[in-house]
Amino acid sequence: MPHMHVAGSIHADAMAASPKWLTRPADVNALDAALWPTGTVRSEAGELTVAGHSASALAAKWGSPLYLIDEAAFRANASAFRKAFAGWDVYYAGKAFLCRGVARWVAEEGLGLDVCSGGELAVARGAGFPPERTGFHGNNKSTDELRAAISLGIGRVIVDSLDEIERIEALAEELATTVKVLVRVTTGVEAHTHEYIATAHEDQKFGFSILGGHALMALVRCSTSPWLTLAGVHSHIGSQIFDGSGFEVAIHRTMRVMAQFRDATGETLRELNLGGGFGIAYTAADQPLPLTDLAASFREAIDHESRGFGFGQLRVALEPGRAIVGPASFALYTVGTVKVVELDGGAARVYVSVDGGMSDNIRPALYAAEYSAVLANRASDSPPVLCRVVGKHCEGGDILVRDVFLPADIQPGDLIAVPGAGAYARSMASNYNHLTRPPVVALAGERSYPLLRRETLEDLLALDVG
Ligand SMILES: *Cc1c(COP(=O)(O)O)cnc(C)c1O
């Protein structure tokens, strides 16, 4: 049955204008290699094909909507970090996406793991992840969560408040052990994307501020506790960062507080954890630095500051989350309705509604995060038209991809793929409007297998005690 070409009846000038960063593609079927796992192609039939799996075969087998992770790409990203930063400790930040299968991949690739709740810790434990390679974050860890972590033999607790220090001391005494800690310091550097702000005083909940001597006091407090082993300092400056300048300032400021600690106590701290935040390409506008360049500039900054402060060899750690799982992943949706909406001034916008939305990817609604999308089940010879991909929730802000060029003949039943949607999507997913959360499926050679199964209505009702 022929479908009306939605943009066909509207003159091109009457379409909503695209944002400055988005250019009309010369070929609407082209795949931007920077956004997809290596080896992603359009098949001869025109289908998006990742690790040998066509979009329509995946949707037929696993349903829609659906998150997919190319296992080989995930492992390659993990191992690229380990190699580029050889000699440093690399922890995968589990909050980006964690399940037992992924925790095993991380263990096998030789990385450590960061958790930030008792739930994430339970997943790590369920996967048999080595506790000594696990770090525990969070600004309000409960006594029960800390007890679980310490009983397990957690590698490091990243302490975030004086209350927490007291809680850990009491537990260490109760469990007759000592706990290795890093002190989370707030450097006043806040980095997002291409900019960073270095503020005089920082107004947020994490860590101990260097200003006012809070960080130094916490370091001294930990170093004099019989129940704690103070290993060093931790700093995390933000997320989706593309340039190293914010990190350089953070390195300088953390080392300066380490030097103040040495001057005050005569002890030298040996560990510096610089957190995560390495940016990935969600759209053509995002241009992350090659990892080897990033590693070179990090090493140079560490060596420079370390020499300046006379520290010698430090044990440095990083915590990438998004940069490992994001580029290995994508989401698949099915188009349900296509609607042309007239805007003030006579322009129009094409709204493409899919079978998921803000419950499976809250980032566009939460942080105005930008994504891109392609028509996945076929190629099209229709011209590109500016579209907005929206979900099925009862919210006007339920937007998945604010601006993207899709073929003008996009129609109900088509599949749309959104690259990068494996990071901070399933891990932040909700059951808003009682939607069931999509499964996460791994692509591994000819095989595809579930990491997390699709939620069912029975799962939803199981919590409802009636
Ligand atoms: C969120 C977070 C990370 C990971 O950030 P990415 O942007 O996913 O790399 C690492 N460390 C800490 C402390 C975090 O809070």
Side-chain angles (χ1 to χ4, degrees):
M1 191 183 80
H3 189 266
M4 187 186 73
H5 287 202
V6 291
S9 56
I10 302 172
H11 194 263
D13 311 343
M15 296 307 295
S18 65
K20 279 200 192 69
W21 60 267
L22 182 65
T23 48
R24 174 178 294 269
D27 172 7
V28 74
N29 300 308
L31 297 172
D32 181 344
L35 308 186
W36 295 94
T38 309
T40 300
V41 293
R42 270 197 196 273
S43 65
E44 261 171 47
E47 278 210 64
L48 176 77
T49 305
V50 182
H53 300 262
S54 73
S56 62
L58 289 170
K61 181 164 183 190
W62 299 104
S64 167
L66 176 60
Y67 306 101
L68 298 125
I69 303 179
D70 179 343
E71 179 179 341
F74 182 104
R75 288 178 181 272
N77 295 342
S79 123
F81 262 95
R82 200 169 48 69
K83 286 179 186 143
F85 293 95
W88 294 14
D89 296 321
V90 180
Y91 291 81
Y92 170 66
K95 74 182 205 249
F97 175 65
L98 189 64
C99 61
R100 288 180 293 179
V102 160
R104 282 190 207 103
W105 300 349
V106 171
E108 286 162 13
E109 295 305 323
L111 274 62
L113 178 68
D114 272 343
V115 298
C116 60
S117 71
E120 288 183 0
L121 183 67
V123 173
R125 181 182 189 168
F129 197 90
E132 69 280 5
R133 276 160 56 192
T134 307
F136 190 16
H137 284 274
N139 64 300
N140 186 19
K141 309 175 192 80
S142 73
T143 299
D144 285 348
E145 289 175 317
L146 286 165
R147 184 182 287 110
I150 295 166
S151 308
L152 207 58
I154 193 103
R156 299 199 180 16
V157 177
I158 294 83
V159 298
D160 205 284
S161 69
L162 293 174
D163 292 318
E164 182 186 353
I165 292 172
E166 285 175 16
R167 238 169 256 166
I168 296 173
E169 287 181 317
L171 285 165
E173 185 168 9
E174 172 191 319
L175 300 166
T177 185
T178 55
V179 180
K180 190 177 269 192
V181 299
L182 298 177
V183 169
R184 169 124 177 206
V185 306
T186 316
T187 57
V189 177
E190 202 186 318
H192 297 285
T193 326
H194 296 281
E195 285 156 26
Y196 78 91
I197 316 165
T199 53
H201 51 90
E202 51 287 273
D203 189 1
Q204 51 91 18
K205 69 179 186 174
F206 291 110
F208 295 93
S209 177
I210 291 178
L211 282 172
H214 298 281
L216 180 59
M217 189 202 53
L219 288 167
V220 172
R221 172 78 175 75
C222 291
S223 75
T224 52
S225 168
W227 305 109
L228 306 181
T229 305
L230 175 62
V233 170
H234 183 285
S235 154
H236 172 74
I237 60 172
S239 60
Q240 191 57 358
I241 303 165
F242 290 105
D243 101 38
S245 52
F247 282 106
E248 281 167 27
V249 177
I251 289 168
H252 176 72
R253 291 185 177 177
T254 47
M255 290 227 199
R256 199 172 54 194
V257 80
M258 288 164 78
Q260 287 166 357
F261 175 80
R262 181 187 54 194
D263 295 344
T265 64
E267 288 172 51
T268 301
L269 298 172
R270 286 269 147 244
E271 284 189 37
L272 175 56
N273 187 321
L274 294 169
F278 309 96
I280 66 167
Y282 286 110
T283 74
D286 300 327
Q287 295 186 328
L289 285 174
L291 207 50
T292 44
D293 294 4
L294 209 59
S297 71
F298 268 66
R299 284 186 199 280
E300 196 183 309
I302 291 280
D303 289 348
H304 174 76
E305 296 292 343
S306 187
R307 233 179 295 120
F309 288 110
F311 284 140
Q313 191 73 21
L314 292 175
R315 182 166 182 178
V316 188
L318 296 174
E319 303 172 326
R322 185 193 317 273
I324 291 178
V325 64
S329 65
F330 63 104
L332 265 186
Y333 299 96
T334 304
V335 175
T337 63
V338 178
K339 193 185 282 184
V340 178
V341 174
E342 285 178 29
L343 309 177
D344 288 345
R349 187 188 304 286
V350 180
Y351 277 85
V352 177
S353 296
V354 298
D355 51 354
M358 64 193 297
S359 58
D360 61 73
N361 190 350
I362 189 73
R363 295 186 66 255
L366 191 59
Y367 326 116
E370 304 279 6
Y371 283 87
S372 53
V374 296
L375 175 61
N377 56 309
R378 62 187 174 91
S380 165
D381 48 24
S382 291
V385 56
L386 189 69
C387 293
R388 178 162 290 173
V389 180
V390 296
K392 60 179 285 159
H393 291 279
C394 305
E395 300 273 340
D398 174 26
I399 293 167
L400 285 168
V401 187
R402 178 169 291 273
D403 294 290
V404 62
F405 283 98
L406 291 169
D409 65 347
I410 184 112
Q411 58 187 274
D414 276 335
L415 297 173
I416 281 185
V418 176
Y424 299 102
R426 179 59 178 82
S427 67
M428 297 177 100
S430 76
N431 292 116
Y432 184 42
N433 293 145
H434 279 44
L435 263 65
T436 52
R437 289 174 295 178
V440 183
V441 169
L443 306 179
E446 312 216 310
R447 237 160 41 95
S448 59
Y449 66 93
L451 291 165
L452 291 180
R453 69 163 170 79
R454 185 180 299 281
E455 236 171 4
T456 63
L457 294 178
E458 290 70 40
D459 290 328
L460 290 184
L461 285 165
L463 298 180
D464 182 337
V465 295

